[in-house]
Amino acid sequence: IRYRYPELGGNYNVFHHTELLSQLISEGKNIIIDSNDSLTAYERYCSAEEDPERQEALRQHVQSLRRHLRGLGEKEYQRLEGTYTLDFVLLFVPVEAAFTLAVQYDGEIFSDGFEKNIVIVSPTTLLATLRTIQNIWRYENQNRNAQEIANRAGALYDKFVGFVSDIETIGSRIDSAQTAYTDAYKKLTSGKGN
């Protein structure tokens, strides 16, 4: 995946592990990754020559990221009908330094996002986050399969219990038939008047 950020002067290779992302999507699951935050204030921070100008640009950068968090939280993408997704959305900041700077400046931004069901990720943390999601879904699938196996085993056990009960009934009826046969045979072959 390549992400274009013209205000920073070009393209950035963001995520090379498209196989993992394709695998997660092909399993019928959705991962919502939003990366529409503007890095204009971050660009001003990088190009600022004076410290007051730099501090103001940094404040605006964090403010822009917070505004995006708030807007993303209001959209509630994780509640979209017809999607099988997580309870949270990933907010991708494609420039590692912009992500790091925001978190250093505002230590609460990450936890505030999490309270809105948004996890902020960067190029460094995106792959680990996607792997974690993949493992969660794998365990969920294994648990669902284990439950299905348990349900089928229970149904099979019930069938065997019914079958054994029927076999016992057949056995007792065979015993009754054998007794009736023996009694009838004795009447013909032994005793008085045969």
Side-chain angles (χ1 to χ4, degrees), residues 40-74:
T40 307
Y42 174 72
E43 188 272 330
R44 280 197 313 273
Y45 171 84
C46 291
S47 61
E49 295 181 14
E50 301 294 322
D51 194 48
E53 183 183 353
R54 180 172 288 173
Q55 289 303 314
E56 178 58 23
L58 176 57
R59 188 188 65 71
Q60 290 175 359
H61 169 58
V62 171
Q63 197 173 44
S64 171
L65 192 56
R66 280 194 165 279
R67 198 171 27 256
H68 192 70
L69 271 174
R70 199 169 28 258
L72 192 56
E74 290 169 0

PDB file of all heavy atoms in Angstrom, residues 40-74:
ATOM      1  N   THR A  40      -0.845  18.879   7.411  1.00  0.00           N
ATOM      2  CA  THR A  40      -0.412  20.229   7.052  1.00  0.00           C
ATOM      3  C   THR A  40       0.279  20.912   8.223  1.00  0.00           C
ATOM      4  O   THR A  40       1.341  21.529   8.048  1.00  0.00           O
ATOM      5  CB  THR A  40      -1.622  21.071   6.584  1.00  0.00           C
ATOM      6  OG1 THR A  40      -2.294  20.358   5.548  1.00  0.00           O
ATOM      7  CG2 THR A  40      -1.183  22.409   6.069  1.00  0.00           C
ATOM      8  N   ALA A  41      -0.278  20.821   9.406  1.00  0.00           N
ATOM      9  CA  ALA A  41       0.332  21.452  10.586  1.00  0.00           C
ATOM     10  C   ALA A  41       1.664  20.783  10.915  1.00  0.00           C
ATOM     11  O   ALA A  41       2.616  21.459  11.328  1.00  0.00           O
ATOM     12  CB  ALA A  41      -0.613  21.377  11.787  1.00  0.00           C
ATOM     13  N   TYR A  42       1.760  19.490  10.706  1.00  0.00           N
ATOM     14  CA  TYR A  42       3.029  18.799  10.938  1.00  0.00           C
ATOM     15  C   TYR A  42       4.087  19.287   9.940  1.00  0.00           C
ATOM     16  O   TYR A  42       5.247  19.495  10.305  1.00  0.00           O
ATOM     17  CB  TYR A  42       2.850  17.283  10.816  1.00  0.00           C
ATOM     18  CG  TYR A  42       4.156  16.540  10.909  1.00  0.00           C
ATOM     19  CD1 TYR A  42       4.826  16.436  12.125  1.00  0.00           C
ATOM     20  CD2 TYR A  42       4.738  15.981   9.777  1.00  0.00           C
ATOM     21  CE1 TYR A  42       6.046  15.777  12.211  1.00  0.00           C
ATOM     22  CE2 TYR A  42       5.950  15.323   9.870  1.00  0.00           C
ATOM     23  CZ  TYR A  42       6.606  15.231  11.077  1.00  0.00           C
ATOM     24  OH  TYR A  42       7.811  14.584  11.156  1.00  0.00           O
ATOM     25  N   GLU A  43       3.666  19.485   8.712  1.00  0.00           N
ATOM     26  CA  GLU A  43       4.597  20.010   7.702  1.00  0.00           C
ATOM     27  C   GLU A  43       5.077  21.398   8.102  1.00  0.00           C
ATOM     28  O   GLU A  43       6.252  21.717   7.971  1.00  0.00           O
ATOM     29  CB  GLU A  43       3.897  20.025   6.334  1.00  0.00           C
ATOM     30  CG  GLU A  43       4.799  20.360   5.172  1.00  0.00           C
ATOM     31  CD  GLU A  43       4.914  21.854   4.905  1.00  0.00           C
ATOM     32  OE1 GLU A  43       3.951  22.580   5.183  1.00  0.00           O
ATOM     33  OE2 GLU A  43       5.984  22.273   4.441  1.00  0.00           O
ATOM     34  N   ARG A  44       4.171  22.233   8.625  1.00  0.00           N
ATOM     35  CA  ARG A  44       4.568  23.573   9.104  1.00  0.00           C
ATOM     36  C   ARG A  44       5.535  23.448  10.274  1.00  0.00           C
ATOM     37  O   ARG A  44       6.479  24.220  10.395  1.00  0.00           O
ATOM     38  CB  ARG A  44       3.332  24.384   9.497  1.00  0.00           C
ATOM     39  CG  ARG A  44       2.607  24.996   8.310  1.00  0.00           C
ATOM     40  CD  ARG A  44       1.648  26.121   8.706  1.00  0.00           C
ATOM     41  NE  ARG A  44       0.785  25.820   9.833  1.00  0.00           N
ATOM     42  CZ  ARG A  44      -0.394  25.221   9.740  1.00  0.00           C
ATOM     43  NH1 ARG A  44      -0.860  24.862   8.566  1.00  0.00           N
ATOM     44  NH2 ARG A  44      -1.114  24.984  10.813  1.00  0.00           N
ATOM     45  N   TYR A  45       5.310  22.480  11.144  1.00  0.00           N
ATOM     46  CA  TYR A  45       6.212  22.245  12.271  1.00  0.00           C
ATOM     47  C   TYR A  45       7.618  21.907  11.757  1.00  0.00           C
ATOM     48  O   TYR A  45       8.613  22.423  12.260  1.00  0.00           O
ATOM     49  CB  TYR A  45       5.676  21.089  13.135  1.00  0.00           C
ATOM     50  CG  TYR A  45       6.636  20.636  14.201  1.00  0.00           C
ATOM     51  CD1 TYR A  45       6.714  21.283  15.425  1.00  0.00           C
ATOM     52  CD2 TYR A  45       7.489  19.554  13.974  1.00  0.00           C
ATOM     53  CE1 TYR A  45       7.607  20.866  16.405  1.00  0.00           C
ATOM     54  CE2 TYR A  45       8.382  19.133  14.939  1.00  0.00           C
ATOM     55  CZ  TYR A  45       8.445  19.796  16.154  1.00  0.00           C
ATOM     56  OH  TYR A  45       9.339  19.389  17.110  1.00  0.00           O
ATOM     57  N   CYS A  46       7.677  21.030  10.768  1.00  0.00           N
ATOM     58  CA  CYS A  46       8.980  20.604  10.228  1.00  0.00           C
ATOM     59  C   CYS A  46       9.719  21.740   9.534  1.00  0.00           C
ATOM     60  O   CYS A  46      10.950  21.792   9.566  1.00  0.00           O
ATOM     61  CB  CYS A  46       8.793  19.452   9.245  1.00  0.00           C
ATOM     62  SG  CYS A  46       8.281  17.923  10.032  1.00  0.00           S
ATOM     63  N   SER A  47       8.974  22.633   8.905  1.00  0.00           N
ATOM     64  CA  SER A  47       9.627  23.705   8.147  1.00  0.00           C
ATOM     65  C   SER A  47       9.784  25.001   8.948  1.00  0.00           C
ATOM     66  O   SER A  47      10.416  25.941   8.462  1.00  0.00           O
ATOM     67  CB  SER A  47       8.863  23.973   6.847  1.00  0.00           C
ATOM     68  OG  SER A  47       7.552  24.390   7.141  1.00  0.00           O
ATOM     69  N   ALA A  48       9.246  25.058  10.162  1.00  0.00           N
ATOM     70  CA  ALA A  48       9.334  26.281  10.982  1.00  0.00           C
ATOM     71  C   ALA A  48      10.784  26.521  11.400  1.00  0.00           C
ATOM     72  O   ALA A  48      11.518  25.600  11.753  1.00  0.00           O
ATOM     73  CB  ALA A  48       8.443  26.157  12.207  1.00  0.00           C
ATOM     74  N   GLU A  49      11.161  27.776  11.375  1.00  0.00           N
ATOM     75  CA  GLU A  49      12.534  28.139  11.755  1.00  0.00           C
ATOM     76  C   GLU A  49      12.609  28.697  13.168  1.00  0.00           C
ATOM     77  O   GLU A  49      13.638  28.593  13.820  1.00  0.00           O
ATOM     78  CB  GLU A  49      13.094  29.136  10.744  1.00  0.00           C
ATOM     79  CG  GLU A  49      13.240  28.510   9.364  1.00  0.00           C
ATOM     80  CD  GLU A  49      13.820  29.475   8.345  1.00  0.00           C
ATOM     81  OE1 GLU A  49      14.353  30.523   8.740  1.00  0.00           O
ATOM     82  OE2 GLU A  49      13.724  29.158   7.149  1.00  0.00           O
ATOM     83  N   GLU A  50      11.546  29.265  13.649  1.00  0.00           N
ATOM     84  CA  GLU A  50      11.511  29.860  14.983  1.00  0.00           C
ATOM     85  C   GLU A  50      10.744  28.953  15.939  1.00  0.00           C
ATOM     86  O   GLU A  50       9.756  28.323  15.560  1.00  0.00           O
ATOM     87  CB  GLU A  50      10.838  31.240  14.935  1.00  0.00           C
ATOM     88  CG  GLU A  50      11.515  32.243  14.025  1.00  0.00           C
ATOM     89  CD  GLU A  50      12.904  32.637  14.523  1.00  0.00           C
ATOM     90  OE1 GLU A  50      13.087  32.774  15.754  1.00  0.00           O
ATOM     91  OE2 GLU A  50      13.800  32.784  13.680  1.00  0.00           O
ATOM     92  N   ASP A  51      11.190  28.913  17.181  1.00  0.00           N
ATOM     93  CA  ASP A  51      10.569  28.028  18.170  1.00  0.00           C
ATOM     94  C   ASP A  51       9.094  28.367  18.428  1.00  0.00           C
ATOM     95  O   ASP A  51       8.279  27.444  18.507  1.00  0.00           O
ATOM     96  CB  ASP A  51      11.372  28.041  19.471  1.00  0.00           C
ATOM     97  CG  ASP A  51      10.964  26.895  20.375  1.00  0.00           C
ATOM     98  OD1 ASP A  51      10.887  25.753  19.875  1.00  0.00           O
ATOM     99  OD2 ASP A  51      10.700  27.146  21.574  1.00  0.00           O
ATOM    100  N   PRO A  52       8.704  29.646  18.573  1.00  0.00           N
ATOM    101  CA  PRO A  52       7.277  29.931  18.796  1.00  0.00           C
ATOM    102  C   PRO A  52       6.405  29.437  17.633  1.00  0.00           C
ATOM    103  O   PRO A  52       5.326  28.889  17.849  1.00  0.00           O
ATOM    104  CB  PRO A  52       7.213  31.449  18.921  1.00  0.00           C
ATOM    105  CG  PRO A  52       8.584  31.864  19.327  1.00  0.00           C
ATOM    106  CD  PRO A  52       9.522  30.870  18.698  1.00  0.00           C
ATOM    107  N   GLU A  53       6.905  29.621  16.433  1.00  0.00           N
ATOM    108  CA  GLU A  53       6.169  29.158  15.254  1.00  0.00           C
ATOM    109  C   GLU A  53       6.074  27.626  15.264  1.00  0.00           C
ATOM    110  O   GLU A  53       5.032  27.042  14.960  1.00  0.00           O
ATOM    111  CB  GLU A  53       6.904  29.633  13.999  1.00  0.00           C
ATOM    112  CG  GLU A  53       6.219  29.282  12.706  1.00  0.00           C
ATOM    113  CD  GLU A  53       7.043  29.723  11.493  1.00  0.00           C
ATOM    114  OE1 GLU A  53       8.069  30.417  11.647  1.00  0.00           O
ATOM    115  OE2 GLU A  53       6.638  29.349  10.385  1.00  0.00           O
ATOM    116  N   ARG A  54       7.149  26.977  15.648  1.00  0.00           N
ATOM    117  CA  ARG A  54       7.189  25.522  15.725  1.00  0.00           C
ATOM    118  C   ARG A  54       6.209  25.014  16.792  1.00  0.00           C
ATOM    119  O   ARG A  54       5.481  24.055  16.575  1.00  0.00           O
ATOM    120  CB  ARG A  54       8.616  25.061  16.039  1.00  0.00           C
ATOM    121  CG  ARG A  54       8.727  23.555  16.136  1.00  0.00           C
ATOM    122  CD  ARG A  54      10.143  23.121  16.256  1.00  0.00           C
ATOM    123  NE  ARG A  54      10.717  23.340  14.932  1.00  0.00           N
ATOM    124  CZ  ARG A  54      11.986  23.200  14.633  1.00  0.00           C
ATOM    125  NH1 ARG A  54      12.834  22.859  15.548  1.00  0.00           N
ATOM    126  NH2 ARG A  54      12.416  23.401  13.414  1.00  0.00           N
ATOM    127  N   GLN A  55       6.190  25.653  17.958  1.00  0.00           N
ATOM    128  CA  GLN A  55       5.289  25.244  19.041  1.00  0.00           C
ATOM    129  C   GLN A  55       3.828  25.409  18.637  1.00  0.00           C
ATOM    130  O   GLN A  55       2.990  24.560  18.948  1.00  0.00           O
ATOM    131  CB  GLN A  55       5.591  26.028  20.327  1.00  0.00           C
ATOM    132  CG  GLN A  55       6.905  25.640  20.979  1.00  0.00           C
ATOM    133  CD  GLN A  55       6.961  24.155  21.299  1.00  0.00           C
ATOM    134  OE1 GLN A  55       6.030  23.585  21.836  1.00  0.00           O
ATOM    135  NE2 GLN A  55       8.076  23.526  20.938  1.00  0.00           N
ATOM    136  N   GLU A  56       3.532  26.488  17.938  1.00  0.00           N
ATOM    137  CA  GLU A  56       2.158  26.707  17.471  1.00  0.00           C
ATOM    138  C   GLU A  56       1.765  25.641  16.442  1.00  0.00           C
ATOM    139  O   GLU A  56       0.648  25.108  16.481  1.00  0.00           O
ATOM    140  CB  GLU A  56       2.009  28.109  16.870  1.00  0.00           C
ATOM    141  CG  GLU A  56       0.632  28.422  16.324  1.00  0.00           C
ATOM    142  CD  GLU A  56      -0.497  28.308  17.350  1.00  0.00           C
ATOM    143  OE1 GLU A  56      -0.259  28.398  18.578  1.00  0.00           O
ATOM    144  OE2 GLU A  56      -1.654  28.110  16.925  1.00  0.00           O
ATOM    145  N   ALA A  57       2.665  25.324  15.541  1.00  0.00           N
ATOM    146  CA  ALA A  57       2.383  24.291  14.538  1.00  0.00           C
ATOM    147  C   ALA A  57       2.187  22.933  15.217  1.00  0.00           C
ATOM    148  O   ALA A  57       1.317  22.148  14.817  1.00  0.00           O
ATOM    149  CB  ALA A  57       3.514  24.223  13.519  1.00  0.00           C
ATOM    150  N   LEU A  58       2.974  22.648  16.227  1.00  0.00           N
ATOM    151  CA  LEU A  58       2.823  21.400  16.975  1.00  0.00           C
ATOM    152  C   LEU A  58       1.471  21.348  17.665  1.00  0.00           C
ATOM    153  O   LEU A  58       0.768  20.326  17.621  1.00  0.00           O
ATOM    154  CB  LEU A  58       3.956  21.252  18.002  1.00  0.00           C
ATOM    155  CG  LEU A  58       3.884  20.049  18.934  1.00  0.00           C
ATOM    156  CD1 LEU A  58       3.814  18.742  18.151  1.00  0.00           C
ATOM    157  CD2 LEU A  58       5.075  20.059  19.879  1.00  0.00           C
ATOM    158  N   ARG A  59       1.082  22.436  18.301  1.00  0.00           N
ATOM    159  CA  ARG A  59      -0.223  22.504  18.952  1.00  0.00           C
ATOM    160  C   ARG A  59      -1.337  22.266  17.930  1.00  0.00           C
ATOM    161  O   ARG A  59      -2.279  21.515  18.177  1.00  0.00           O
ATOM    162  CB  ARG A  59      -0.397  23.863  19.634  1.00  0.00           C
ATOM    163  CG  ARG A  59      -1.655  23.967  20.497  1.00  0.00           C
ATOM    164  CD  ARG A  59      -1.896  25.379  20.997  1.00  0.00           C
ATOM    165  NE  ARG A  59      -2.185  26.341  19.935  1.00  0.00           N
ATOM    166  CZ  ARG A  59      -3.323  26.371  19.220  1.00  0.00           C
ATOM    167  NH1 ARG A  59      -4.278  25.509  19.460  1.00  0.00           N
ATOM    168  NH2 ARG A  59      -3.507  27.261  18.273  1.00  0.00           N
ATOM    169  N   GLN A  60      -1.220  22.868  16.751  1.00  0.00           N
ATOM    170  CA  GLN A  60      -2.225  22.695  15.707  1.00  0.00           C
ATOM    171  C   GLN A  60      -2.233  21.262  15.155  1.00  0.00           C
ATOM    172  O   GLN A  60      -3.284  20.725  14.817  1.00  0.00           O
ATOM    173  CB  GLN A  60      -1.986  23.700  14.574  1.00  0.00           C
ATOM    174  CG  GLN A  60      -2.302  25.121  14.976  1.00  0.00           C
ATOM    175  CD  GLN A  60      -1.950  26.120  13.881  1.00  0.00           C
ATOM    176  OE1 GLN A  60      -1.455  25.762  12.820  1.00  0.00           O
ATOM    177  NE2 GLN A  60      -2.207  27.393  14.158  1.00  0.00           N
ATOM    178  N   HIS A  61      -1.048  20.670  15.081  1.00  0.00           N
ATOM    179  CA  HIS A  61      -0.952  19.277  14.615  1.00  0.00           C
ATOM    180  C   HIS A  61      -1.722  18.347  15.559  1.00  0.00           C
ATOM    181  O   HIS A  61      -2.525  17.520  15.120  1.00  0.00           O
ATOM    182  CB  HIS A  61       0.532  18.874  14.526  1.00  0.00           C
ATOM    183  CG  HIS A  61       0.763  17.417  14.321  1.00  0.00           C
ATOM    184  ND1 HIS A  61       0.258  16.706  13.250  1.00  0.00           N
ATOM    185  CD2 HIS A  61       1.469  16.513  15.060  1.00  0.00           C
ATOM    186  CE1 HIS A  61       0.631  15.446  13.342  1.00  0.00           C
ATOM    187  NE2 HIS A  61       1.360  15.295  14.430  1.00  0.00           N
ATOM    188  N   VAL A  62      -1.488  18.501  16.848  1.00  0.00           N
ATOM    189  CA  VAL A  62      -2.177  17.663  17.832  1.00  0.00           C
ATOM    190  C   VAL A  62      -3.667  17.979  17.833  1.00  0.00           C
ATOM    191  O   VAL A  62      -4.511  17.077  17.913  1.00  0.00           O
ATOM    192  CB  VAL A  62      -1.551  17.833  19.231  1.00  0.00           C
ATOM    193  CG1 VAL A  62      -2.382  17.140  20.298  1.00  0.00           C
ATOM    194  CG2 VAL A  62      -0.126  17.293  19.229  1.00  0.00           C
ATOM    195  N   GLN A  63      -3.995  19.232  17.705  1.00  0.00           N
ATOM    196  CA  GLN A  63      -5.396  19.656  17.657  1.00  0.00           C
ATOM    197  C   GLN A  63      -6.096  19.034  16.440  1.00  0.00           C
ATOM    198  O   GLN A  63      -7.227  18.560  16.534  1.00  0.00           O
ATOM    199  CB  GLN A  63      -5.461  21.178  17.605  1.00  0.00           C
ATOM    200  CG  GLN A  63      -6.781  21.778  17.954  1.00  0.00           C
ATOM    201  CD  GLN A  63      -6.666  23.292  18.030  1.00  0.00           C
ATOM    202  OE1 GLN A  63      -6.045  23.927  17.173  1.00  0.00           O
ATOM    203  NE2 GLN A  63      -7.245  23.872  19.068  1.00  0.00           N
ATOM    204  N   SER A  64      -5.399  19.020  15.301  1.00  0.00           N
ATOM    205  CA  SER A  64      -5.953  18.418  14.083  1.00  0.00           C
ATOM    206  C   SER A  64      -6.189  16.920  14.283  1.00  0.00           C
ATOM    207  O   SER A  64      -7.232  16.387  13.897  1.00  0.00           O
ATOM    208  CB  SER A  64      -4.990  18.650  12.914  1.00  0.00           C
ATOM    209  OG  SER A  64      -5.389  17.919  11.788  1.00  0.00           O
ATOM    210  N   LEU A  65      -5.234  16.255  14.897  1.00  0.00           N
ATOM    211  CA  LEU A  65      -5.371  14.820  15.159  1.00  0.00           C
ATOM    212  C   LEU A  65      -6.523  14.552  16.126  1.00  0.00           C
ATOM    213  O   LEU A  65      -7.322  13.641  15.935  1.00  0.00           O
ATOM    214  CB  LEU A  65      -4.059  14.261  15.710  1.00  0.00           C
ATOM    215  CG  LEU A  65      -3.909  12.760  15.784  1.00  0.00           C
ATOM    216  CD1 LEU A  65      -4.127  12.108  14.422  1.00  0.00           C
ATOM    217  CD2 LEU A  65      -2.541  12.394  16.318  1.00  0.00           C
ATOM    218  N   ARG A  66      -6.649  15.376  17.149  1.00  0.00           N
ATOM    219  CA  ARG A  66      -7.762  15.234  18.105  1.00  0.00           C
ATOM    220  C   ARG A  66      -9.110  15.487  17.429  1.00  0.00           C
ATOM    221  O   ARG A  66     -10.084  14.796  17.701  1.00  0.00           O
ATOM    222  CB  ARG A  66      -7.582  16.188  19.292  1.00  0.00           C
ATOM    223  CG  ARG A  66      -6.607  15.653  20.314  1.00  0.00           C
ATOM    224  CD  ARG A  66      -6.738  16.451  21.614  1.00  0.00           C
ATOM    225  NE  ARG A  66      -6.091  15.745  22.684  1.00  0.00           N
ATOM    226  CZ  ARG A  66      -6.613  14.740  23.361  1.00  0.00           C
ATOM    227  NH1 ARG A  66      -7.813  14.318  23.085  1.00  0.00           N
ATOM    228  NH2 ARG A  66      -5.938  14.151  24.333  1.00  0.00           N
ATOM    229  N   ARG A  67      -9.149  16.489  16.559  1.00  0.00           N
ATOM    230  CA  ARG A  67     -10.384  16.793  15.829  1.00  0.00           C
ATOM    231  C   ARG A  67     -10.768  15.586  14.961  1.00  0.00           C
ATOM    232  O   ARG A  67     -11.933  15.203  14.888  1.00  0.00           O
ATOM    233  CB  ARG A  67     -10.174  18.046  14.984  1.00  0.00           C
ATOM    234  CG  ARG A  67     -11.410  18.715  14.518  1.00  0.00           C
ATOM    235  CD  ARG A  67     -11.213  20.087  13.862  1.00  0.00           C
ATOM    236  NE  ARG A  67      -9.933  20.329  13.228  1.00  0.00           N
ATOM    237  CZ  ARG A  67      -8.951  21.087  13.745  1.00  0.00           C
ATOM    238  NH1 ARG A  67      -9.124  21.701  14.901  1.00  0.00           N
ATOM    239  NH2 ARG A  67      -7.822  21.258  13.097  1.00  0.00           N
ATOM    240  N   HIS A  68      -9.772  14.990  14.336  1.00  0.00           N
ATOM    241  CA  HIS A  68     -10.029  13.816  13.508  1.00  0.00           C
ATOM    242  C   HIS A  68     -10.507  12.637  14.366  1.00  0.00           C
ATOM    243  O   HIS A  68     -11.420  11.909  13.963  1.00  0.00           O
ATOM    244  CB  HIS A  68      -8.773  13.439  12.722  1.00  0.00           C
ATOM    245  CG  HIS A  68      -9.029  12.432  11.657  1.00  0.00           C
ATOM    246  ND1 HIS A  68      -9.744  12.706  10.514  1.00  0.00           N
ATOM    247  CD2 HIS A  68      -8.699  11.126  11.580  1.00  0.00           C
ATOM    248  CE1 HIS A  68      -9.838  11.621   9.778  1.00  0.00           C
ATOM    249  NE2 HIS A  68      -9.208  10.645  10.409  1.00  0.00           N
ATOM    250  N   LEU A  69      -9.913  12.468  15.534  1.00  0.00           N
ATOM    251  CA  LEU A  69     -10.358  11.431  16.473  1.00  0.00           C
ATOM    252  C   LEU A  69     -11.827  11.627  16.830  1.00  0.00           C
ATOM    253  O   LEU A  69     -12.615  10.677  16.821  1.00  0.00           O
ATOM    254  CB  LEU A  69      -9.543  11.489  17.767  1.00  0.00           C
ATOM    255  CG  LEU A  69      -8.257  10.693  17.856  1.00  0.00           C
ATOM    256  CD1 LEU A  69      -7.547  11.010  19.161  1.00  0.00           C
ATOM    257  CD2 LEU A  69      -8.507   9.222  17.739  1.00  0.00           C
ATOM    258  N   ARG A  70     -12.168  12.855  17.167  1.00  0.00           N
ATOM    259  CA  ARG A  70     -13.540  13.163  17.564  1.00  0.00           C
ATOM    260  C   ARG A  70     -14.509  12.859  16.412  1.00  0.00           C
ATOM    261  O   ARG A  70     -15.531  12.206  16.604  1.00  0.00           O
ATOM    262  CB  ARG A  70     -13.624  14.633  17.985  1.00  0.00           C
ATOM    263  CG  ARG A  70     -14.802  14.988  18.815  1.00  0.00           C
ATOM    264  CD  ARG A  70     -14.744  16.390  19.444  1.00  0.00           C
ATOM    265  NE  ARG A  70     -13.977  17.387  18.730  1.00  0.00           N
ATOM    266  CZ  ARG A  70     -12.732  17.801  19.067  1.00  0.00           C
ATOM    267  NH1 ARG A  70     -12.125  17.287  20.107  1.00  0.00           N
ATOM    268  NH2 ARG A  70     -12.100  18.712  18.362  1.00  0.00           N
ATOM    269  N   GLY A  71     -14.167  13.321  15.207  1.00  0.00           N
ATOM    270  CA  GLY A  71     -15.031  13.078  14.053  1.00  0.00           C
ATOM    271  C   GLY A  71     -15.155  11.603  13.717  1.00  0.00           C
ATOM    272  O   GLY A  71     -16.238  11.111  13.389  1.00  0.00           O
ATOM    273  N   LEU A  72     -14.066  10.900  13.813  1.00  0.00           N
ATOM    274  CA  LEU A  72     -14.069   9.466  13.534  1.00  0.00           C
ATOM    275  C   LEU A  72     -14.901   8.711  14.564  1.00  0.00           C
ATOM    276  O   LEU A  72     -15.655   7.803  14.231  1.00  0.00           O
ATOM    277  CB  LEU A  72     -12.629   8.951  13.525  1.00  0.00           C
ATOM    278  CG  LEU A  72     -12.366   7.562  12.980  1.00  0.00           C
ATOM    279  CD1 LEU A  72     -12.890   7.423  11.560  1.00  0.00           C
ATOM    280  CD2 LEU A  72     -10.878   7.274  13.019  1.00  0.00           C
ATOM    281  N   GLY A  73     -14.795   9.126  15.817  1.00  0.00           N
ATOM    282  CA  GLY A  73     -15.593   8.505  16.878  1.00  0.00           C
ATOM    283  C   GLY A  73     -17.080   8.706  16.668  1.00  0.00           C
ATOM    284  O   GLY A  73     -17.890   7.828  16.957  1.00  0.00           O
ATOM    285  N   GLU A  74     -17.457   9.854  16.137  1.00  0.00           N
ATOM    286  CA  GLU A  74     -18.871  10.142  15.893  1.00  0.00           C
ATOM    287  C   GLU A  74     -19.428   9.318  14.736  1.00  0.00           C
ATOM    288  O   GLU A  74     -20.618   9.026  14.699  1.00  0.00           O
ATOM    289  CB  GLU A  74     -19.049  11.630  15.609  1.00  0.00           C
ATOM    290  CG  GLU A  74     -18.824  12.503  16.831  1.00  0.00           C
ATOM    291  CD  GLU A  74     -18.739  13.992  16.509  1.00  0.00           C
ATOM    292  OE1 GLU A  74     -18.864  14.372  15.317  1.00  0.00           O
ATOM    293  OE2 GLU A  74     -18.544  14.776  17.462  1.00  0.00           O
TER     294      GLU A  74
END
